[in-house]
Structure formats: structure tokens, C-alpha cells
Amino acid sequence: MEINSREENGVNVIILDGEVDISSTDLIRGKFKKLIDEKKKKIVVDLANVPYIDSSGLGLFVETMQEMGKYGGELKLAGLTDDVKKVFELTRLTNFFSIFAEEKEAIESFK
Amino acid sequence: MEINSREENGVNVIILDGEVDISSTDLIRGKFKKLIDEKKKKIVVDLANVPYIDSSGLGLFVETMQEMGKYGGELKLAGLTDDVKKVFELTRLTNFFSIFAEEKEAIESFK
Amino acid sequence: MKNGHNLIKLEVRSHPRYLRLIRNATYDIAMICGFTEDEAKDLRLVIDEACTNVIKHSYQYDYSKPIILNFFLYDDRFEMLIEDCGMKVRPSQIRSREIDNVKPGGLGVYIIKKLTDIMEYDPTGKDGPRLRLVKYTKKR
Amino acid sequence: MKNGHNLIKLEVRSHPRYLRLIRNATYDIAMICGFTEDEAKDLRLVIDEACTNVIKHSYQYDYSKPIILNFFLYDDRFEMLIEDCGMKVRPSQIRSREIDNVKPGGLGVYIIKKLTDIMEYDPTGKDGPRLRLVKYTKKR
Ligand SMILES: Nc1ncnc2c1ncn2[C@@H]1O[C@H](COP(=O)(O)OP(=O)(O)O)[C@@H](O)[C@H]1O
Ligand SMILES: Nc1ncnc2c1ncn2[C@@H]1O[C@H](COP(=O)(O)OP(=O)(O)O)[C@@H](O)[C@H]1O
């Protein structure tokens, strides 16, 4: 799992590269924790290079979303591959998250 | 393993698609046998869609080349992927076969 | 392809670094067994969820214990038997949460149930608990 | 990552349709063990050649017999132990032909020797012959 991040127009963009399972969730959680500690309100997770995710990844996004909700922040998802989208649909989380086809759209939606 | 073939300017082109090991060599051998029975003198094997080959595949090409040699025919190889080329180099068969980057070149070399 | 016997056995340690190997092997086995790519991907997710639960719940994150995966193909079904030698719980404790009450955890068992035809947890195995997962083949 | 114990075990039947699974698993394991992609691909070829020989020579193309693969990682080396319960031959019979005298067969053992540091055939195993293949890790 490789994690890159940048800030654009006040939005924190986290770009994940690799498969998401319990061997990588701690690393990603650490990244989110920093942003939550700083009470960042706008996070976009770019999943275009994530070919696979399991429930531990979904759980991490839910957890992060709920933590951010406490201070009025929101986590948005972008670029889901077909396989990853299927797991969100299976667990009915497509309604829980704002999901965008492109990272750019997700960033702009925060305006 | 999927095998396609066509004739172009008197050259029989065999296009392999898939990994070559003992689960696929019999199928390929059957294709070659037909052409050998008809004493076809010019065969090009297109390996551009072969990501993997083991010694059973190499052995099959050597066998076919030697059978064809008996009546003055020749087997030429084209489009080897890096991984496949490495196995030919490892076994020093790069000198035994005429190898071309493109199928087109291999066909033209028969003129 | 008809096989009533034990097809394939894979034994690894309970370390998350083996999950990818387990997933890829399961995908390959499902494809060999004639499932479609989508079905093989479903089974890949199922085995990941089952093994993750063994690591988390049965072994409480002890990464050095055995996980033994057995794959069987019968005429009408594909079976995966996941054996470990960790904590045994009552089968009724293996249950998913209410899916519409969104919480961080509790999705693994839901996914397993959703993507297989039978899920059977048996804590009475000789060496430890076993999870039996069955997926019927299309030809049924 | 330091492990002296049995890392991973994979048991399949001696059918060519499992070769791809064996190759992919070996590649994944080699990557987990810290080998480079090129080295993992070499080990993938090595295991294919070894298992193909078991199917061809040890089992004479009987596709229903067991092949048991054991992967060990030590501090200084990676080991693969391939066990079968077929025909035993004298170790001296496991040999490659002269490489420059081009013939259709006889390349498997050559490839195995070329890409590993130790190749040891032991016909005296309890259940049958075993082939031990060792590759030293870079850190040596
Ligand atoms: N292998 C197991 N051993 C013991 N308990 C388990 C096992 N698998 C699942 N469980 C129980 O079932 C519950 C639901 O599991 P799951 O849906 O995967 O969610 P989560 O693991 O996030 O809690 C777990 O919280 C646990 O109590
Ligand atoms: N597992 C094995 N059991 C018995 N004999 C073997 C085994 N592996 C290799 N051999 C012997 O070693 C020879 C060389 O093997 P190899 O280089 O793979 O070439 P090939 O299989 O094409 O003959 C074989 O012809 C066979 O006699």
C-alpha cells in the first residue's frame, strides 16, 4: 500500500495505491488520524488505484466518516474501480458516502 | 490457451494467447502437427500475447523446428514478451531460432 | 470436471501478509473449478473475510498460528473449509450486525453470508473451530 | 522478517491445470519473502519445472496423485521442498542434457539448477521422493 496526499483548495486529498485489507488499514488509519486530530473538514479519498477492498477497509472509511461528523467534517470517495464499487453496493454503503467518478469532481463538490 | 491462425503470403501464422506449459502444449502441438503433415515450409509463431513459457513450450518449438527441418521448412518466432525472451536466453535458444520483434517482420523475412 | 475428493489444501500462518496469497489462490482455484470471473472475485472476498476473522477473533491478532484452507469440488458445489486452532465461540456469536445501522465493524459475516449458499461454523473440530462455506455451481 | 519455521504448505493433485495456481502462489510467496519481481519470476519458473517433472517422470502422467509444496524462509535463504509419492530414481538420473546440443527435451533440470543455489533430490523420504531447492537471499 502506497499512500500519497496533498492539499488542494482547502481539501485534503488522500491517494491510495494498492489493495486494502487488514495488512494496510493501520497505515491508512494513521494518515486519517492526523487529519482528524487537526479537525480537517474536507477529505477526498482517491481510490482509482485500489483494485481490491474488503470489509476492514469499508469499516475504516465508516469510522473516519463518523469521527469527522463529530466536528462537522465529511469524507468523500472518488474513482472507485468496478470491483471496489461492487463491495460498497453489496454492503449498501453507496448511500452512506458521497461517491464521485473523478477525484476532481469530489474536490469541486466541497465548494 | 487460445490459438488463432491464418495464412499470409504463403506463411502460416500461429497466434498464441495465454500461458504455455504442459496444460497447453498438446493443443499447440496438434496445430503444428497439421501444418507439418502438409509439409508447410514457413511458420511464424506470434508470442506477443504469451506472458509465460516454461521448458515444455521451448521443447515443443525445438521439436517442431527439427521436424520442419527434415523437409526444408523453418519456424520463426515473433513478439516475445520480456519474460518469455528471458527463458529463451537462459536456455541459449535465442541463437537456435530466428526471433523478430514484430509478426510482420517475421513474415516478411520469409520473402 | 468431477471430483469428490479433497482438491487443494493451503496452510499459512495467521499473518495479514498472507491474505493476498490466500485471495489469489482462491481466485485461481475458483477459476479452475469453472466459476465465472465475477464469482471467483466473490469467493476471493469471502475467503478474505473468513481469514481476517480468524486472525482478529479466533487468534486475537496472534500472527504466528496456523490457518488451514481446504478446497473441495463436488458435482454440484464448491466447498471451502477453514480450520484454525484458536478460540472457539458459540455458533450464534458469529453474526452480522443490522446492515442499515451503519457502524465501522460487523460487515464480514454479512458479506460471507451474502456471497455463499451455506455458512456453517463448527466449534467442535478436533484441533479447533472450522468454518464451512458452500457455493453451489451454476449447473445445479 | 525472520522465520525459521514452516512458512507455507500447498497441496494439490498432479494435474497440469494446477500449475498456474502453483506458479502464482510461488510468485506471491517469493514477493512476501522480499525477493525482487525478477527473482520471484525465476522461482515461479523453477517450481513449474519441478512440478512438471513430478507429473511427467515421478507420476508418469497420472493426474490424480498428490504434490506437496513446502516453503520455508530462513534468515539467509528461501527453501522449497517438493514432495510426491511416485517413482523414485537415483539422484544421478536427475540431470540435464548438454545445453548446446539442442534437443526437444531436457531443459527443466538445467533451468532449475541455473536459477537456484542448491538442488537436492532425495529418494529416501518416508512417503516418496523429495526435491529440495534453495535460493539464498541477497542479504547474505
Ligand atoms: N472466526 C471467528 N471466531 C470467533 N468469533 C468470530 C469469528 N468470526 C466472526 N466472529 C464474531 O462475529 C462477529 C461479526 O463478525 P464480522 O461481521 O466479520 O464483523 P467484525 O469482525 O468487524 O466484528 C465478530 O464481531 C465476532 O464476535
Ligand atoms: N521428479 C523426477 N522423477 C524422476 N526422474 C526425473 C524427475 N525429474 C527429472 N527426472 C529425470 O531427469 C531428466 C531431465 O529432466 P528435464 O531436464 O526436466 O528434461 P525432460 O523432462 O524434458 O526430460 C528426465 O528426463 C528424467 O529422467
Side-chain angles (χ1 to χ4, degrees), chain B residues 55, chain D residues 49-50 53-54 56-58 84 87 89 93-96 105-110 121:
Chain B
S55 75
Chain D
E49 298 295 344
N53 277 346
V54 169
K56 279 165 58 179
H57 303 297
S58 198
D84 67 76
M87 214 182 64
V89 300
Q93 286 183 258
I94 313 282
R95 60 157 182 274
S96 65
L107 290 171
V109 171
Y110 174 84
Y121 176 81

Side-chain angles (χ1 to χ4, degrees), chain A residues 90-92, chain C residues 96 99 106-115:
Chain A
L90 186 70
T91 52
R92 303 212 209 125
Chain C
S96 65
I99 192 73
L107 290 171
V109 170
Y110 174 84
I111 289 174
I112 294 171
K113 284 195 173 153
K114 196 101 179 165
L115 297 179

Side-chain angles (χ1 to χ4, degrees), chain A residues 44-89:
Chain A
V44 167
V45 185
D46 185 336
L47 295 169
N49 289 312
V50 172
Y52 179 85
I53 196 165
D54 69 7
S55 75
S56 66
L58 302 183
L60 171 59
F61 293 148
V62 169
E63 177 191 319
T64 305
M65 178 72 156
Q66 294 185 333
E67 284 299 313
M68 291 178 71
K70 289 180 189 163
Y71 58 79
E74 193 185 350
L75 179 85
K76 299 188 179 186
L77 304 173
L80 282 66
T81 55
D82 286 348
D83 288 348
V84 166
K85 186 175 275 165
K86 229 184 128 182
V87 186
F88 277 88
E89 281 162 0

